[in-house]
Amino acid sequence: PRQGHYDGTGYLNGGLIFLICATAFIATVFILQPANNGIIPVSEALTLEVTYSHCDPFYQRGHLKYIDLEFDDYEELTVDGCCSNADLIEQLENIPAGTQVHLLVHPKSENVLQIEVAGGILLQFSDAQNRIWRESVSFAVMGLLMYLVAVGLLIGMIRKKL
């Protein structure tokens, strides 16, 4: 039968092959995504002294996705949603514009991993790293499950053809 048409077995060959490929591709993205934001030692983090302007939390479907941090003398940086919460947003919103802020930033993803102001540490490096690690493990597990689905679909397709 022609590709993508009903072949009498209950499968649409072209559609199933596309589904297998798409599942494998998405699984690969899930597994490789955390590599850009991986765990690093403090010594590899970029150390910045910047002048704080303001923050803009970004929500997606009711969940905090990230916080954009704006500075007078540096480009915009981001705090990942897994490292953020309402208390951090409140603390950031209470920092007066023009305040000097000490940051530790991931060199690849440019995510802020530590925020320190004269009054103390608002985001702790080790806490941020632990949260990112937990999130990356969950992404990897989801990716592996998607690979299993793709393999299961492929095996099912091969068995139907035999």
Side-chain angles (χ1 to χ4, degrees):
R2 293 185 328 222
Q3 186 175 3
H5 286 73
Y6 182 74
D7 64 1
T9 64
Y11 284 90
L12 294 173
N13 286 334
L16 187 58
I17 291 170
F18 173 78
L19 181 63
I20 292 168
C21 291
T23 303
F25 174 77
I26 293 170
T28 301
V29 170
F30 270 77
I31 288 175
L32 295 180
Q33 182 272 343
N36 197 37
N37 201 23
I39 302 299
I40 60 167
V42 176
S43 61
E44 289 182 20
L46 301 174
T47 301
L48 303 174
E49 291 288 335
V50 293
T51 306
Y52 182 79
S53 176
H54 67 278
C55 72
D56 291 316
F58 177 76
Y59 293 88
Q60 189 174 34
R61 294 185 212 132
H63 298 287
L64 181 62
K65 185 79 174 160
Y66 58 85
I67 303 172
D68 278 333
L69 300 177
E70 303 273 342
F71 307 99
D72 294 337
D73 52 1
Y74 198 78
E75 64 191 50
E76 178 180 289
L77 294 172
T78 302
V79 178
D80 194 289
C82 70
C83 302
S84 308
N85 57 37
D87 291 337
L88 179 60
I89 294 171
E90 183 179 342
Q91 290 174 324
L92 290 169
E93 288 175 340
N94 288 329
I95 297 174
T99 300
Q100 286 296 304
V101 179
H102 177 80
L103 304 174
L104 294 178
V105 179
H106 196 288
K108 289 184 181 176
S109 66
E110 296 190 351
N111 277 333
V112 175
L113 300 174
Q114 182 163 307
I115 303 171
E116 187 175 350
V117 294
I121 296 176
L122 305 183
L123 177 63
Q124 181 69 41
F125 183 86
S126 59
D127 291 342
Q129 290 281 76
N130 287 335
R131 291 176 184 177
I132 289 169
W133 182 81
R134 283 194 306 267
E135 185 178 72
S136 68
V137 167
S138 64
F139 271 100
V141 167
M142 286 176 32
L144 289 173
L145 290 174
M146 292 180 80
Y147 274 132
L148 290 174
V149 167
V151 168
L153 288 170
L154 184 60
I155 290 170
M157 188 175 92
I158 291 169
R159 284 188 178 166
K160 289 289 183 184
K161 292 220 178 224
L162 297 177

